[in-house]
């Protein structure tokens, strides 16, 4: 074994500084860690919304959650509201919490499906404390001591300012010993014998050598693509959006504890509430809408006047054919791009980092280790891809050519299998360690009109009256718990007020 000595992170932004902060925290000086970035290259900064998995990253960094929220102008997030996705006028929330409780060995949704066929089912949003609370703009953290109550099972994530997040992580990383080099990389040197990366050269002429390279250079993939020619899997036939415009506007009341995703004629618009402003963006397909029309739709649907010039982004949905190639691991936009519909961008950075730490190589870079890393990463990317595709495929909209294409397109076999199984009897099973749990799939399936033909036959063991009482108890208890929860804005003001941005 020849141990690693030097790790070089090429590029800053959220991905670069997340890597620098976590590796410096966990490795505690074991390796020399350097990050190269240029002040002349801006960050895209669309990753302002997260999912609950980010709490694992925060725990590994020993972050104080209230301080983290204050430093990043953060708000809390119970889920994502989807408007107009199945049909115009429809709305549902994909919440992060559990759905009701089990009865016997069956999930609560099977009993709901049976009651729904009889016309006796409650609003499905009332079956989860996350969705019921979100709709009333209420929030509190879960109470761990109340394991028998819905208040013990509130799942939450965060909205935050991406630029402030980068600044916050940079401070922690540099305090932990990370060296930052200012400058643009203009050359990458490969070993002529094995093709491994040996060094990068800055515009100043400085040569920086390392054993392990982490490419955080964005879409261009300075090392992984331009130097190593890794290749890219294009998924745009399933996810045809290829443009985005980001634009902030003033904060308005109420401060919603959820992200909003509103379907538009050729894509969708995001709304992310922060303490000091609201983040907005329009993701769309240039094949079905021109840039001027996309910007007009975005501006006309803001809560207030724009606070900055539009940030225009071009992308191709997909991933690198190998996220780990030779001695280079691609991270963030350099590894691939899945549109932020389910707020997975920050998660994929975190997930790849943790996977790298679990499979940390020595300087020999054993091929079995690299292959296992890529297998796990491919699986995660593909299953997240499938979940996002579902939002487009499961639609009854036919008002535009874009939505007709999405409704009629063929989807990956892995997704079609899930859809077929669900439509038969309402069954969904989480595979291996895929990101989205069964509750997530259930909410999107039902929210977008995919009501199964049947339900688990074991529901028939219970008389209708018992099923109705069971569902009524769930919604009644959740109603009492939501009534106890404070207003989201008031909760933020109490525990983590940020004040004016610096």
């Amino acid at each position: 074994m020849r141990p690693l000595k030097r790790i070089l992170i090429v590029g800053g932004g959220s991905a670069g500084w997340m890597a620098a902060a976590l590796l410096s925290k966990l490795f505690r000086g074991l390796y020399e860690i350097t990050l190269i970035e240029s002040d002349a290259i801006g960050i895209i900064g669309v990753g302002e919304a997260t999912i609950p998995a980010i709490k694992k990253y925060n725990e590994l960094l020993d972050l104080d959650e209230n301080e983290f929220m204050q430093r990043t102008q953060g708000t809390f997030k119970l889920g994502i509201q989807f408007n107009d996705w199945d049909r115009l006028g429809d709305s549902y929330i994909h919440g992060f919490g559990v759905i009701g409780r089990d009865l016997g060995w069956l999930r609560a949704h099977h009993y709901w499906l049976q009651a729904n066929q009889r016309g006796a089912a409650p609003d499905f949003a009332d079956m989860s404390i996350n969705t019921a609370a979100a709709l009333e703009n209420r929030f509190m953290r879960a109470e761990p001591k109340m394991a028998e109550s819905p208040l013990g099972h509130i799942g939450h994530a965060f909205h935050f300012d991406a630029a402030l997040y980068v600044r916050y992580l940079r401070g922690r990383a540099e305090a932990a010993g990370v060296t930052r080099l200012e400058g643009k990389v203009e050359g990458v040197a490969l070993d002529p014998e094995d093709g491994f990366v040996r060094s990068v050269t800055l515009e100043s002429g400085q040569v920086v050598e390392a054993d392990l390279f982490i490419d955080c250079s964005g879409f261009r993939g300075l090392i992984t693509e331009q130097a190593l020619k890794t290749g890219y899997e294009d998924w745009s036939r399933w996810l045809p959006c290829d443009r985005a415009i980001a634009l902030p506007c003033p904060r308005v009341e109420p401060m919603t504890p959820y992200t909003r995703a509103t379907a538009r004629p050729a894509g969708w618009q995001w709304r992310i509430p922060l303490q000091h402003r609201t983040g907005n963006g329009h993701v769309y397909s240039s094949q079905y809408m021109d840039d001027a029309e996309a910007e007009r739709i975005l501006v006309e649907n803001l809560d207030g006047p724009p606070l900055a010039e539009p940030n225009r982004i071009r992308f191709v949905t997909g991933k690198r054919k190998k996220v780990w190639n030779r001695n280079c691991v691609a991270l963030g936009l350099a590894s691939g791009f899945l549109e932020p519909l389910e707020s997975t961008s920050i998660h994929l950075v975190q997930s790849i980092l943790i996977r790298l730490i679990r499979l940390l190589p020595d300087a020999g870079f054993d091929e079995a280790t690299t292959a296992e890393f890529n297998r796990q990463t491919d699986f995660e990317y593909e299953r997240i891809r499938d979940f996002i595709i579902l939002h487009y495929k499961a639609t009854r909209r036919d008002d535009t050519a874009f939505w007709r294409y999405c409704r009629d397109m063929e989807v990956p076999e892995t997704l079609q299998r899930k859809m077929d199984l669900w439509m038969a009897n309402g069954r969904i099973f989480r595979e291996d360690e895929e990101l989205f749990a069964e509750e997530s799939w259930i909410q999107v399936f039902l929210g977008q009109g995919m009501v199964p033909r049947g339900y688990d036959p074991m529901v028939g063991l219970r008389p209708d009256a018992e099923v109705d009482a069971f569902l009524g108890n769930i919604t009644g208890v959740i109603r009492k718990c939501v009534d106890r929860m404070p207003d989201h804005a008031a909760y933020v003001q109490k525990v983590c007020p940020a004040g004016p941005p610096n």
Side-chain angles (χ1 to χ4, degrees), residues 451-483:
V451 180
R453 296 182 294 275
Y455 43 82
D456 194 295
M458 297 294 284
V459 172
L461 294 173
R462 316 272 178 179
D464 292 352
E466 183 180 351
V467 171
D468 293 344
F470 169 66
L471 297 177
N473 177 260
I474 289 174
T475 58
V477 170
I478 287 175
R479 177 70 265 160
K480 291 178 181 178
C481 291
V482 171
D483 288 343

Side-chain angles (χ1 to χ4, degrees), residues 240-251:
C241 291
D242 59 355
R243 300 283 190 276
I245 306 173
L247 196 60
C249 73
R251 169 191 160 184

Side-chain angles (χ1 to χ4, degrees), residues 329-354:
V329 174
L331 196 63
L333 299 177
S335 67
F337 184 82
L338 291 171
E339 60 188 72
L341 183 59
E342 282 285 353
S343 309
T344 52
S345 300
I346 293 291
H347 168 77
L348 282 166
V349 172
Q350 162 190 321
S351 177
I352 290 172
L353 280 172
I354 292 175

Side-chain angles (χ1 to χ4, degrees), residues 288-351:
Y288 295 94
M289 180 175 288
D290 63 41
D291 297 343
E293 176 69 359
E295 184 174 337
R296 182 191 66 78
I297 289 174
L298 175 61
V299 172
E300 289 182 356
N301 288 280
L302 298 179
D303 293 333
L307 296 177
E309 290 299 311
N311 181 11
R312 296 178 175 84
I313 305 157
R314 296 189 175 198
F315 58 86
V316 176
T317 302
K319 63 170 288 295
R320 301 292 171 199
K321 291 183 177 179
K322 291 182 179 180
V323 172
W324 183 346
N325 189 358
R326 295 184 174 88
N327 60 334
C328 174
V329 174
L331 196 63
L333 299 177
S335 67
F337 184 82
L338 291 171
E339 60 188 72
L341 183 59
E342 282 285 353
S343 309
T344 52
S345 300
I346 293 291
H347 168 77
L348 282 166
V349 172
Q350 162 190 321
S351 177

Side-chain angles (χ1 to χ4, degrees), residues 260-460:
R260 180 179 297 150
T262 302
R264 298 298 183 205
W268 60 280
Q269 180 174 332
W270 78 73
R271 179 183 181 276
I272 300 173
L274 305 176
Q275 292 191 45
H276 63 315
R277 63 172 174 81
T278 299
N280 308 277
H282 188 183
V283 177
Y284 61 99
S285 170
S286 62
Q287 181 180 349
Y288 295 94
M289 180 175 288
D290 63 41
D291 297 343
E293 176 69 359
E295 184 174 337
R296 182 191 66 78
I297 289 174
L298 175 61
V299 172
E300 289 182 356
N301 288 280
L302 298 179
D303 293 333
L307 296 177
E309 290 299 311
N311 181 11
R312 296 178 175 84
I313 305 157
R314 296 189 175 198
F315 58 86
V316 176
T317 302
K319 63 170 288 295
R320 301 292 171 199
K321 291 183 177 179
K322 291 182 179 180
V323 172
W324 183 346
N325 189 358
R326 295 184 174 88
N327 60 334
C328 174
V329 174
L331 196 63
L333 299 177
S335 67
F337 184 82
L338 291 171
E339 60 188 72
L341 183 59
E342 282 285 353
S343 309
T344 52
S345 300
I346 293 291
H347 168 77
L348 282 166
V349 172
Q350 162 190 321
S351 177
I352 290 172
L353 280 172
I354 292 175
R355 188 170 297 118
L356 174 62
I357 293 165
R358 287 175 172 167
L359 291 166
L360 190 69
D362 57 42
F365 290 92
D366 179 76
E367 290 185 6
T369 300
T370 305
E372 178 61 18
F373 175 97
N374 285 326
R375 185 196 68 79
Q376 292 183 20
T377 303
D378 290 350
F379 177 87
E380 181 169 45
Y381 255 101
E382 289 165 2
R383 293 311 188 271
I384 293 174
R385 173 203 66 190
D386 288 357
F387 190 58
I388 295 175
I389 293 171
L390 174 64
H391 297 67
Y392 289 98
K393 175 65 176 177
T395 184
R396 285 173 282 189
R397 288 187 60 167
D398 60 2
D399 53 301
T400 68
F402 173 84
W403 287 107
R404 290 192 292 272
Y405 171 84
C406 294
R407 180 197 61 192
D408 298 338
M409 67 182 175
E410 292 187 3
V411 298
E413 183 276 333
T414 47
L415 173 58
Q416 189 64 55
R417 178 161 40 87
K418 274 189 166 71
M419 293 170 63
D420 292 342
L421 182 64
W422 167 260
M423 288 303 294
N425 292 96
R427 295 187 175 104
I428 183 74
F429 298 98
R430 189 176 189 175
E431 298 181 49
D432 295 334
E433 295 185 8
E434 67 177 313
L435 175 60
F436 289 103
E438 294 164 8
E439 288 82 359
S440 295
W441 287 90
I442 292 167
Q443 290 174 92
V444 176
F445 277 137
L446 292 178
Q448 298 202 199
M450 290 187 64
V451 180
R453 296 182 294 275
Y455 43 82
D456 194 295
M458 297 294 284
V459 172

